[in-house]
mmCIF file of all heavy atoms in Angstrom:
data_model
loop_
_atom_site.group_PDB
_atom_site.id
_atom_site.type_symbol
_atom_site.label_atom_id
_atom_site.label_comp_id
_atom_site.label_asym_id
_atom_site.label_seq_id
_atom_site.Cartn_x
_atom_site.Cartn_y
_atom_site.Cartn_z
ATOM 1 N N ARG A 2005 -28.885 32.401 -24.060
ATOM 2 C CA ARG A 2005 -30.138 31.994 -24.594
ATOM 3 C C ARG A 2005 -30.207 30.384 -24.718
ATOM 4 O O ARG A 2005 -31.309 29.804 -24.472
ATOM 5 C CB ARG A 2005 -30.211 32.509 -26.049
ATOM 6 C CG ARG A 2005 -30.459 34.068 -26.152
ATOM 7 C CD ARG A 2005 -30.528 34.533 -27.578
ATOM 8 N NE ARG A 2005 -30.636 35.906 -27.642
ATOM 9 C CZ ARG A 2005 -31.770 36.681 -27.498
ATOM 10 N NH1 ARG A 2005 -32.893 35.964 -27.231
ATOM 11 N NH2 ARG A 2005 -31.813 37.950 -27.534
ATOM 12 N N GLN A 2006 -29.081 29.731 -24.878
ATOM 13 C CA GLN A 2006 -29.136 28.281 -24.970
ATOM 14 C C GLN A 2006 -29.480 27.636 -23.630
ATOM 15 O O GLN A 2006 -30.403 26.791 -23.535
ATOM 16 C CB GLN A 2006 -27.787 27.690 -25.444
ATOM 17 C CG GLN A 2006 -27.681 26.206 -25.491
ATOM 18 C CD GLN A 2006 -26.379 25.794 -26.058
ATOM 19 O OE1 GLN A 2006 -25.704 26.514 -26.846
ATOM 20 N NE2 GLN A 2006 -25.905 24.479 -25.721
ATOM 21 N N PHE A 2007 -28.876 28.225 -22.490
ATOM 22 C CA PHE A 2007 -29.147 27.799 -21.204
ATOM 23 C C PHE A 2007 -30.610 28.136 -20.859
ATOM 24 O O PHE A 2007 -31.445 27.285 -20.326
ATOM 25 C CB PHE A 2007 -28.295 28.539 -20.160
ATOM 26 C CG PHE A 2007 -28.633 28.142 -18.791
ATOM 27 C CD1 PHE A 2007 -28.073 27.030 -18.150
ATOM 28 C CD2 PHE A 2007 -29.376 29.006 -17.975
ATOM 29 C CE1 PHE A 2007 -28.349 26.740 -16.802
ATOM 30 C CE2 PHE A 2007 -29.702 28.597 -16.687
ATOM 31 C CZ PHE A 2007 -29.230 27.528 -16.094
ATOM 32 N N ALA A 2008 -31.196 29.368 -21.144
ATOM 33 C CA ALA A 2008 -32.524 29.752 -20.860
ATOM 34 C C ALA A 2008 -33.535 28.897 -21.561
ATOM 35 O O ALA A 2008 -34.442 28.492 -20.985
ATOM 36 C CB ALA A 2008 -32.708 31.196 -21.201
ATOM 37 N N ALA A 2009 -33.244 28.472 -22.834
ATOM 38 C CA ALA A 2009 -34.178 27.675 -23.542
ATOM 39 C C ALA A 2009 -34.421 26.389 -22.893
ATOM 40 O O ALA A 2009 -35.617 25.889 -22.792
ATOM 41 C CB ALA A 2009 -33.729 27.395 -25.047
ATOM 42 N N GLN A 2010 -33.355 25.694 -22.350
ATOM 43 C CA GLN A 2010 -33.461 24.432 -21.740
ATOM 44 C C GLN A 2010 -34.134 24.598 -20.362
ATOM 45 O O GLN A 2010 -35.024 23.872 -19.919
ATOM 46 C CB GLN A 2010 -32.136 23.749 -21.567
ATOM 47 C CG GLN A 2010 -31.505 23.317 -22.861
ATOM 48 C CD GLN A 2010 -30.317 22.328 -22.611
ATOM 49 O OE1 GLN A 2010 -30.479 21.194 -22.435
ATOM 50 N NE2 GLN A 2010 -29.159 22.926 -22.756
ATOM 51 N N ALA A 2011 -33.633 25.750 -19.524
ATOM 52 C CA ALA A 2011 -34.182 25.908 -18.227
ATOM 53 C C ALA A 2011 -35.499 26.200 -18.246
ATOM 54 O O ALA A 2011 -36.399 25.739 -17.277
ATOM 55 C CB ALA A 2011 -33.322 26.994 -17.532
ATOM 56 N N ASN A 2012 -36.043 26.990 -19.175
ATOM 57 C CA ASN A 2012 -37.451 27.267 -19.317
ATOM 58 C C ASN A 2012 -38.294 26.128 -19.669
ATOM 59 O O ASN A 2012 -39.543 26.077 -19.443
ATOM 60 C CB ASN A 2012 -37.736 28.412 -20.289
ATOM 61 C CG ASN A 2012 -37.179 29.677 -19.834
ATOM 62 O OD1 ASN A 2012 -37.030 29.959 -18.502
ATOM 63 N ND2 ASN A 2012 -36.757 30.556 -20.760
ATOM 64 N N ILE A 2013 -37.783 25.051 -20.129
ATOM 65 C CA ILE A 2013 -38.387 23.716 -20.332
ATOM 66 C C ILE A 2013 -38.263 22.774 -19.150
ATOM 67 O O ILE A 2013 -39.362 22.284 -18.614
ATOM 68 C CB ILE A 2013 -37.902 22.990 -21.602
ATOM 69 C CG1 ILE A 2013 -38.224 23.781 -22.840
ATOM 70 C CG2 ILE A 2013 -38.525 21.645 -21.805
ATOM 71 C CD1 ILE A 2013 -37.580 23.303 -24.172
ATOM 72 N N ILE A 2014 -37.208 22.694 -18.697
ATOM 73 C CA ILE A 2014 -36.876 21.742 -17.488
ATOM 74 C C ILE A 2014 -37.614 22.170 -16.297
ATOM 75 O O ILE A 2014 -38.279 21.382 -15.469
ATOM 76 C CB ILE A 2014 -35.457 21.513 -17.253
ATOM 77 C CG1 ILE A 2014 -34.779 20.800 -18.506
ATOM 78 C CG2 ILE A 2014 -35.069 20.687 -16.024
ATOM 79 C CD1 ILE A 2014 -33.308 20.683 -18.458
#
Side-chain angles (χ1 to χ4, degrees):
R2005 293 180 182 274
Q2006 180 176 336
F2007 176 85
Q2010 292 190 81
N2012 289 335
I2013 294 174
I2014 294 176

